[in-house]
Amino acid sequence: MDTHSKVVRALQNLSRDKDLLNLDKLFACDAKRNDWLFKSWEQFTFDFTKQLVSKEILTGLLELAESRKLKNRISGLIAGKPVNTSEDRPALHTALRMPKSKSLVVNQTNVVADVHGSLERVKGIVDKIHSGQWRGYSGKPITDIVNIGVGGSDLGPFMVTNALKDFQADWKNHLDFHFVSSMDGTQIFKLLETLNPETCLFIISSKSFTTIDTFYNANTAMEWMLGACPDKSLVVKQHFIGVSASPDKMNEWGIAADNQLLFWDWVGGRFSLWSAIGLPIALSVGMDNFEALLSGAHEMDKQFATAPFEDNIPVLLGLIGVWNATFLNINAHTVLPYDGRLQFLPNYLTQLEMESNGKAVTMDGKKVEYKTCPILWGDIGPNAQHAFYQLLHQGTQKVSCDFIAPINRYHDTSNGAGTDEFLIKQHKLSLANCLAQSRVLAFGNKAVSDDENLPAHKFYNGNQPSTTILMDELNPYTLGSLIALYEHKVFVMASIWGINPFDQWGVELGKVIAGELLDAIQGDPPAKNLDISTQTLLDTIKNKA
Ligand SMILES: O=P(O)(O)OC[C@H]1O[C@](O)(CO)[C@@H](O)[C@@H]1O
């Protein structure tokens, strides 16, 4: 982004207009603000009115998108152009949810055909496990699925499996799902104590199939299995599935050929839940629901590819994100779902946004002269109200917020007489809190009174910008759309900033140094040239271990 360009300078000028950038005033000046900042799309309603934007600002942001050739960038992404410039490859997560009837030829290959071939294999495995045909070494059907993976090979399937628990069908009676990611062993050791090796199936999920965190956990699982059944070829065949973009590495580790599910180097790890990495999702909610998740995402892809920018939800969300982070210097963003099923969405978005856009150089290697990705965190909104909302309301930091809530819930629940009504009341309580919080964040005390004589500690400043996303209900289809929306938001922001959202070089150095320090902790060879802090920490560990 050229900070000297006319469009950027105009936006910078607007960003200094303190008088304009006040939600009270923005609402007072334009009583019909909702006409142009409320958007309905499919089963969603988006309220951007509580963002610090005027018509002039939005026009400027749309011009900025134009000047950054966003339209071309979006078509390049979807057509499979090498948008991941540092690795010279496409980022084709949109192809993972294209219908079978479509075709997309990239490097002489119809990737849509490959995608559906892989989905067929996923379906075959799902059917075998659901029907009880897939059996453990002693002939018993599988009861426990353990996904071992980290980052994109964990967060997406984990988040979606939790969000869609209501959509598990009759196999829920005989299948339990577990996710192991942490390298320190806490999760795997605790989990193995509760499992029966005869009926466990491990899914080793790793795009690279080299991530050390995953392989320490996988090796522990293998040792545990071999303790129960020393016949390794039987264990490998009946208890381990591999999901990866590297068949060679899967062979090396010993995954049986029939148990290897492949995806492709053109799928970024944090964009991979739609591929075979989503196997735990498909096992949990069934293939039809998994396909509904893909269709919901595809619908959002179509809107991203075709809607005019002023009505294009991912474009608006991304442009407003850039306005907040880059022009208004709001460097913290929180995601607040008002529905416990979305508990892990903020965590998932932490990787999606910060690993994608936490960068300071442009695609042509220049240092950026502006702020890029804000720090993102979040929690279930109602719980966060009792934890960090104090800072949002009365702290010294500017924070932008996304409120997310399904309008309807519990209508189909039949947990006994009267229960539905009670649960619906609880859901409405949550919705009321969602609206109350965005209102107070926007208008402070003025939301309820004009009393100027409040003691200072009771004063709420307001003017914290937020977007509210309402979905008619949370189901596989709407969840697919919601996730795809955030994926595209990331791409829009990266395109404006001129950065590559599809690599993650910033995680590599730590891996190399950890390898050296592991050798040093194990005493062989002793570490050389360490800084005094690390050397003393290492000595302390070695003395006390
Ligand atoms: O799927 P893999 O190759 O094991 O990688 C896991 C995660 O590690 C990272 O490469 C970061 O270290 C993420 O981008 C990725 O999602």
Side-chain angles (χ1 to χ4, degrees):
M1 183 175 88
D2 177 3
T3 49
H4 303 292
S5 66
K6 200 165 143 223
V7 61
V8 171
R9 283 217 315 273
L11 283 165
Q12 281 165 344
N13 285 338
L14 288 167
S15 75
R16 289 187 205 106
D17 187 343
K18 293 285 172 268
D19 229 31
L20 170 73
L21 297 173
N22 178 297
L23 283 168
D24 251 347
K25 289 192 187 151
L26 286 167
F27 273 72
C29 298
D30 181 3
K32 296 229 164 121
R33 199 168 158 72
N34 49 339
D35 278 357
W36 55 282
L37 284 172
F38 247 86
K39 303 281 171 192
S40 289
W41 175 80
E42 291 247 321
Q43 298 177 49
F44 286 84
T45 306
F46 301 90
D47 174 14
F48 297 110
T49 57
K50 295 193 187 88
Q51 289 291 349
L52 288 162
V53 290
S54 62
K55 276 194 175 152
E56 200 182 357
I57 293 169
L58 188 59
T59 306
L61 290 169
L62 292 169
E63 278 168 22
L64 177 63
E66 187 101 345
S67 75
R68 299 291 307 143
K69 302 198 170 26
L70 184 59
K71 192 97 212 140
N72 286 350
R73 291 266 305 153
I74 296 172
S75 22
L77 172 82
I78 294 172
K81 295 267 148 45
V83 287
N84 179 353
T85 43
S86 70
E87 292 164 329
D88 192 25
R89 59 192 185 211
L92 267 173
H93 37 287
T94 48
L96 297 173
R97 49 246 186 173
M98 280 184 182
K100 206 174 178 173
S101 54
K102 297 253 163 175
S103 132
L104 177 67
V105 177
V106 179
N107 299 333
Q108 285 98 50
T109 305
N110 178 6
V111 292
V112 180
D114 285 359
V115 163
H116 283 271
S118 171
L119 279 173
E120 275 305 312
R121 295 214 51 223
V122 169
K123 184 175 183 316
I125 290 176
V126 168
D127 286 346
K128 272 192 187 163
I129 293 171
H130 284 174
S131 65
Q133 205 187 325
W134 188 305
R135 300 204 165 223
Y137 65 83
S138 64
K140 293 185 183 160
I142 299 300
T143 59
D144 289 87
I145 306 289
V146 184
N147 190 78
I148 300 183
V150 72
S153 301
D154 166 68
L155 291 166
F158 180 61
M159 180 271 285
V160 175
T161 304
N162 276 283
L164 297 181
K165 271 203 175 129
D166 293 353
F167 292 83
Q168 291 180 351
D170 46 352
W171 52 85
K172 75 178 172 212
N173 300 326
H174 74 259
L175 276 187
D176 272 329
F177 294 87
H178 315 273
F179 289 82
V180 169
S181 53
S182 165
M183 65 165 69
D184 73 283
T186 310
Q187 293 168 324
I188 187 96
F189 282 111
K190 276 251 162 291
L191 177 65
L192 293 180
E193 278 169 19
T194 68
L195 298 179
N196 175 1
E198 290 172 282
T199 58
C200 265
L201 181 68
F202 294 92
I203 303 172
I204 313 300
S205 275
S206 174
K207 180 179 173 186
S208 59
F209 231 67
T210 56
T211 304
I212 198 160
D213 321 41
T214 297
F215 286 95
Y216 269 61
N217 282 322
N219 290 340
T220 299
M222 177 61 91
E223 285 304 306
W224 178 77
M225 283 301 310
L226 292 176
C229 170
D231 182 344
K232 188 165 181 181
S233 62
L234 188 59
V235 164
V236 157
K237 204 160 156 260
Q238 302 308 121
H239 294 272
F240 285 87
I241 288 177
V243 186
S244 177
S246 172
D248 293 350
K249 291 277 183 323
M250 285 200 276
N251 288 335
E252 236 171 73
W253 194 80
I255 299 284
D258 284 349
N259 296 358
Q260 297 185 6
L261 289 173
L262 281 177
F263 63 111
W264 308 270
D265 67 356
W266 43 258
V267 181
R270 52 194 172 274
F271 298 84
S272 65
L273 71 87
W274 323 97
S275 70
I277 289 285
L279 175 63
I281 304 172
L283 280 166
S284 165
V285 297
M287 217 49 207
D288 288 350
N289 283 321
F290 187 61
E291 278 159 13
L293 182 86
L294 300 180
S295 305
H298 179 63
E299 211 49 44
M300 182 57 83
D301 298 340
K302 286 198 312 205
Q303 133 99 193
F304 188 45
T306 58
F309 282 178
E310 57 275 18
D311 289 320
N312 190 315
I313 308 299
V315 169
L316 291 174
L317 199 64
L319 289 178
I320 289 172
V322 170
W323 172 244
N324 285 334
T326 305
F327 292 92
L328 300 186
N329 250 312
I330 302 178
N331 302 125
H333 180 72
T334 182
V335 177
L336 306 161
Y338 274 70
D339 186 313
R341 293 171 297 178
L342 293 175
Q343 176 178 10
F344 301 109
L345 179 69
N347 237 16
Y348 167 78
L349 293 179
T350 303
Q351 186 200 20
L352 183 64
E353 298 217 12
M354 297 209 281
E355 196 172 74
S356 298
N357 283 342
K359 294 170 189 165
V361 286
T362 62
M363 278 182 280
D364 41 21
K366 296 207 180 79
K367 190 111 184 65
V368 297
E369 295 167 342
Y370 36 83
K371 289 272 165 58
T372 60
C373 187
I375 293 163
L376 186 148
W377 91 109
D379 199 351
I380 306 175
N383 292 5
Q385 287 178 200
H386 300 280
F388 59 78
Y389 273 43
Q390 168 64 39
L391 179 147
L392 303 185
H393 288 300
Q394 291 187 317
T396 54
Q397 308 289 342
K398 289 296 281 178
V399 181
S400 58
C401 314
D402 284 356
F403 290 91
I404 303 173
I407 297 172
N408 299 300
R409 195 178 170 190
Y410 297 125
H411 292 284
D412 298 319
T413 317
S414 46
N415 289 341
T419 316
D420 293 16
E421 209 179 309
F422 198 73
L423 290 175
I424 290 169
K425 271 190 191 155
Q426 286 207 237
H427 183 59
K428 289 191 172 154
L429 173 69
S430 168
L431 285 174
N433 272 271
C434 177
L435 301 194
Q437 292 297 333
S438 70
R439 192 160 139 72
V440 179
L441 280 171
F443 305 111
N445 300 82
K446 289 195 186 138
V448 284
S449 106
D450 280 333
D451 183 357
E452 303 267 299
N453 301 318
L454 283 173
H457 64 272
K458 289 197 174 172
F459 186 74
Y460 289 65
N461 192 37
N463 218 30
Q464 298 276 40
S466 69
T467 296
T468 300
I469 301 176
L470 297 175
M471 49 223 285
D472 292 355
E473 61 174 37
L474 176 66
N475 57 39
Y477 187 87
T478 54
L479 183 63
S481 300
L482 183 71
I483 301 168
L485 166 66
Y486 277 100
E487 288 180 344
H488 297 324
K489 171 199 173 191
V490 162
F491 184 69
V492 170
M493 294 172 89
S495 301
I496 302 294
W497 289 323
I499 60 181
N500 175 7
F502 300 118
D503 60 9
Q504 56 283 322
W505 294 100
V507 299
E508 293 307 319
L509 188 57
K511 293 180 191 172
V512 174
I513 297 192
E516 288 169 16
L517 284 169
L518 179 60
D519 293 343
I521 284 183
Q522 289 168 341
D524 186 27
K528 280 194 223 126
N529 303 328
L530 287 182
D531 60 88
I532 190 76
S533 160
T534 312
Q535 185 64 60
T536 314
L537 288 168
L538 185 61
D539 294 343
T540 308
I541 290 170
K542 289 177 89 165
N543 288 336
K544 294 197 171 190

